[in-house]
Every structure is written in structure tokens, then in C-alpha cells.
Amino acid sequence: QSVLTQPPSASGTPGQRVTISCSGSSSNIGTNTVNWYQQVPGTAPKLLIYTNSQRPSGVPDRFSVSKSGTSASLAISGLQSEDEADYYCAAWDDSLNGWVFGGGTKLTVL
Amino acid sequence: QVQLQESGPGLVKPSQTLSLTCTVSGGSISSGGFYWSWIRQPAGKGLEWIGRIYTSVTTNYNPSLKSRVTISTDTSKNQFSLRLSSVTAADTAVYYCAREIRYGASRMDVWGQGTTVTVSS
């Protein structure tokens, strides 16, 4: 059972906007920033976006994030087939004194 | 560009100790500003943070694994290592090492490709 809660799956058609939620608590999302990772099956996770929609070099601005209270969301606009992957949220937990992850959301591009 | 590479036995017997090494290239493990972390992922499941090390002596461990985990560094080889004792089948997973930026918005920005460890007799 993951500390952060994500929906197990999400889907959309090319060009659509999709959002993936991540719910936590006051000791993690409520206090600290949230990072999002993208994982294509069979490969290592890749840092996708962090803090206030900060993106590593090469990540398109179609990806954005928001946060409210103890929840966060990842939004993908202009969905493309290459966006099909698993997405994980992560945050530092002050009570556990460690990183906690969501269970992951499998995004399918129909 | 910093790169990380995990190495170690792919098969470990139950009750034994799992030992993995992460070799860092393109940067020094001794440079300030980074934690060096281990994360694992059982097949078909999500990511689990194991722990991290900074300056060779400062460590943080996942409370659920803390009694069995040791993370250490070898600065002469630019490597950091994971030891997980008393393993069971539940420890079977892909193990990743990663670099975590300490300052500003903490995040794991560089990951190794991962290494699969199976616990079986």
C-alpha cells in the first residue's frame, strides 16, 4: 500500500488533455514539493517535472503540475502516443523522514 | 554528464545478504550538493525508496527496511553500495541507484538503468 494515492490507470486520445491525481497527507504533499517521474516499461524512471512545473531539459511544456493542500495533479496536454507510460508522484515525508511514492498510474493513449 | 550503473549478483539465497554497487561516472560522489539513493521496484509494482547517503556518514533509511539496510560509499572508487540482510522472496525486485539534488527543490534527477535481483534457493 503506497503512502501517496494515484489512480491505477488513465487514458486519452491523441491531442486530448489528461490529468493524473496524487493524494497524500500533511506530512508529505501538504508540506513539501511533489516530483513526477515517467517510466516507460522496461526502462528506468525519468524525472519529468518538479516543484512549480519545473521541467528538466528536453521535457516539453505540454506537461504541467498543480498542487492544492494535500493533493497534486499532473496534466498532459496535446496527448501524444509517446506519452504512453507509467507515471509516479513522489514527495518527502517529514514523519517517515524519507521519500514516499504513489503506486503509479498507467497512461494509455487510445 | 553524470551516469550511474548498478552491479551485483542477480541471484541471492533466502536469509543471505544482498549486496549491490552503484558506480558513478562523469562526476565525483564526494562533491557537495547531492544525496546518493537506492530505490527498488518489484515486478509489476510501484517504486519503493530504500535509503540515501550524503558525505559518507549521513544516511536516511526507509523505516520499513531500516533494521536490514546499510548504505555506504567508497570515494576512492567513486561508488556507493547497498547491503540488505536477511532477504526473502519479497526482496525480489529491480534495484535502481539514483542521484538526488539536495538544494532547492530536492529531486532524483539521474537514475541508473537498474539491476534485477531475485531471491531464491
Side-chain angles (χ1 to χ4, degrees):
Chain A
Q1 196 79 350
S2 301
V3 174
L4 305 182
T5 301
Q6 298 180 236
S9 63
S11 63
T13 56
Q16 271 192 328
R17 183 176 187 271
V18 172
T19 61
I20 297 172
S21 62
C22 176
S23 178
S25 67
S26 58
S27 62
N28 41 66
I29 294 179
T31 307
N32 301 307
T33 59
V34 180
N35 300 330
W36 290 85
Y37 297 89
Q38 179 191 58
Q39 185 179 35
V40 174
T43 70
K46 168 187 131 178
L47 178 65
L48 181 69
I49 195 166
Y50 58 99
T51 317
N52 299 319
S53 291
Q54 300 296 308
R55 293 177 300 276
S57 174
V59 176
D61 59 6
R62 300 186 293 104
F63 295 89
S64 62
V65 295
S66 63
K67 190 177 103 166
S68 178
T70 58
S71 294
S73 291
L74 170 70
I76 309 171
S77 60
L79 197 62
Q80 299 182 4
S81 58
E82 66 202 52
D83 299 331
E84 191 160 283
D86 296 322
Y87 292 84
Y88 293 90
C89 58
W92 183 261
D93 191 295
D94 290 340
S95 295
L96 297 174
N97 203 31
W99 285 99
V100 291
F101 286 92
T105 299
K106 181 177 182 61
L107 175 63
T108 300
V109 180
L110 302 170
Chain B
Q1 180 162 342
V2 174
Q3 293 184 313
L4 281 62
Q5 177 69 58
E6 305 88 351
S7 60
L11 181 64
V12 181
K13 289 181 167 50
S15 79
Q16 293 191 340
T17 295
L18 177 162
S19 295
L20 296 176
T21 296
C22 183
T23 301
V24 180
S25 59
S28 172
I29 196 173
S30 300
S31 62
F34 304 107
Y35 289 105
W36 303 96
S37 301
W38 288 96
I39 303 97
R40 71 181 182 178
Q41 183 174 36
K45 296 188 179 181
L47 301 167
E48 179 181 34
W49 179 76
I50 299 171
R52 68 184 186 183
I53 189 166
Y54 171 66
T55 66
S56 299
V57 293
T58 301
T59 54
N60 298 105
Y61 297 131
N62 186 322
S64 68
L65 299 170
K66 188 173 184 177
S67 63
R68 300 193 291 130
V69 173
T70 303
I71 297 176
S72 59
T73 61
D74 185 337
T75 55
S76 67
K77 295 181 180 178
N78 217 33
Q79 296 174 334
F80 63 105
S81 298
L82 168 70
R83 287 173 59 85
L84 180 65
S85 64
S86 305
V87 298
T88 69
D91 296 309
T92 294
V94 176
Y95 285 75
Y96 296 101
C97 58
R99 184 183 79 170
E100 177 191 339
I101 294 176
R102 290 185 63 233
Y103 298 117
S106 295
R107 59 207 183 266
M108 285 173 264
D109 69 327
V110 181
W111 294 62
Q113 66 183 30
T115 188
T116 300
V117 177
T118 301
V119 178
S120 175
S121 55

